[in-house]
C-alpha cells in the first residue's frame, strides 16, 4: 500500500493538498498503521512471555515500548483521517498489511526476544525513512514531519534494544 490508488475513499475536505498527494499519503499512513499495530502486540507478546535473570527489567521495558508504539498508532491513524481518509487499524488490517514477520510464540529467553525485536525495529526504521522521503517529495511536510518524529523514536529504541546484545 505505498502507491497512489484511485479506489482509496476520501471524505470531502477543504484541505489544500492535492487529492492525489493525500491519497498517496493516506496509503503510506495506513501501511504504517498496520505495521505499528502489529509491532505493539508483538511487544506485548514479549512483555508477557519473557523469562530469565533480567525478567523484571525486560518485562517493564517491553511494556513501555508497547505503550510508546500505541501513541504512534494514534498519531498515524489521525493523520490519515486528517487528510480525508479512513484509518484501517483493526487487528485484521494489521495481520493483512503489516510488513513484519509473525512473532514466534515459543520465544522465552530475554536475549531471543531482544534479537527478535531488534530485527522488527530495524525493519520499521527502514520503512519510515522511505516514507519520510516520499512525503517530503510529495510536498506533504506535515506527514513527513510525523514520520520523522516516529522514525527518531524508533531509531532511539533500536539503540536501546541493541545495547543489551553487545
Ligand atoms: Fe502487563
Amino acid at each position: 500500500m505505498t502507491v497512489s490508488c484511485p479506489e482509496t475513499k476520501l471524505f470531502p475536505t477543504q484541505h489544500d493538498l492535492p487529492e492525489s498527494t493525500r491519497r498517496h499519503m493516506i496509503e503510506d499512513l495506513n501501511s504504517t498503521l498496520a505495521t505499528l499495530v502489529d509491532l505493539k502486540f508483538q511487544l506485548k507478546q514479549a512483555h508477557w512471555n519473557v523469562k530469565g535473570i533480567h525478567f523484571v527489567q525486560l518485562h517493564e521495558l517491553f511494556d513501555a515500548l508497547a505503550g510508546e508504539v500505541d501513541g504512534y498508532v494514534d498519531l498515524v491513524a489521525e493523520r490519515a483521517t486528517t487528510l480525508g481518509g479512513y484509518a484501517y487499524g483493526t487487528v485484521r488490517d494489521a495481520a493483512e498489511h503489516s510488513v513484519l514477520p509473525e512473532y514466534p510464540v515459543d520465544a522465552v529467553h530475554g536475549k531471543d526476544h531482544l534479537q527478535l525485536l531488534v530485527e522488527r525495529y530495524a525493519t520499521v526504521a527502514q520503512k519510515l525513512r522511505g516514507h519520510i522521503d516520499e512525503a517530503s517529495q510529495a510536498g506533504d511536510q506535515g506527514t513527513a514531519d510525523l514520520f520523522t518524529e516516529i522514525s527518531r523514536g524508533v531509531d532511539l529504541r533500536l539503540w536501546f534494544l541493541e545495547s543489551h546484545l553487545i
Side-chain angles (χ1 to χ4, degrees):
M1 292 204 304
T2 55
V3 178
S4 184
C5 166
E7 284 80 42
T8 300
K9 183 174 177 181
L10 291 182
F11 290 95
T13 173
Q14 295 295 308
H15 202 293
D16 63 296
L17 279 174
E19 189 177 305
S20 60
T21 302
R22 288 187 290 112
R23 281 186 197 284
H24 181 181
M25 293 302 101
I26 290 161
E27 285 158 16
D28 282 3
L29 287 158
N30 272 309
S31 171
T32 303
L33 178 58
T35 299
L36 291 175
V37 169
D38 190 16
L39 180 62
K40 176 199 160 176
F41 285 107
Q42 295 204 14
L43 284 158
K44 277 294 199 181
Q45 186 72 12
H47 163 70
W48 293 320
N49 290 295
V50 68
K51 295 189 190 307
I53 191 69
H54 300 296
F55 167 75
V56 172
Q57 186 220 331
L58 294 177
H59 177 70
E60 291 180 356
L61 173 64
F62 297 155
D63 205 30
L65 296 188
E68 187 172 82
V69 170
D70 203 33
Y72 297 151
V73 162
D74 207 47
L75 291 172
V76 168
E78 291 181 3
R79 183 67 187 168
T81 53
T82 295
L83 295 176
Y86 264 98
Y88 296 97
T90 68
V91 290
R92 287 167 185 78
D93 290 319
E96 194 172 345
H97 297 295
S98 171
V99 299
L100 301 180
E102 185 60 271
Y103 201 82
V105 290
D106 56 350
V108 172
H109 299 293
K111 203 167 181 180
D112 294 338
H113 285 293
L114 286 162
Q115 187 59 48
L116 288 162
L117 292 173
V118 161
E119 291 163 9
R120 282 149 181 78
Y121 267 76
T123 297
V124 173
Q126 183 206 1
K127 293 285 177 190
L128 285 168
R129 248 178 285 290
H131 289 322
I132 294 167
D133 290 343
E134 282 188 54
S136 203
Q137 284 159 17
D140 183 353
Q141 301 309 329
T143 299
D145 180 65
L146 176 59
F147 282 136
T148 302
E149 177 189 338
I150 298 170
S151 164
R152 205 166 43 238
V154 167
D155 283 350
L156 179 76
R157 295 317 195 173
L158 176 59
W159 169 57
F160 268 54
L161 292 165
E162 281 186 320
S163 294
H164 291 80
L165 296 172
I166 300 298

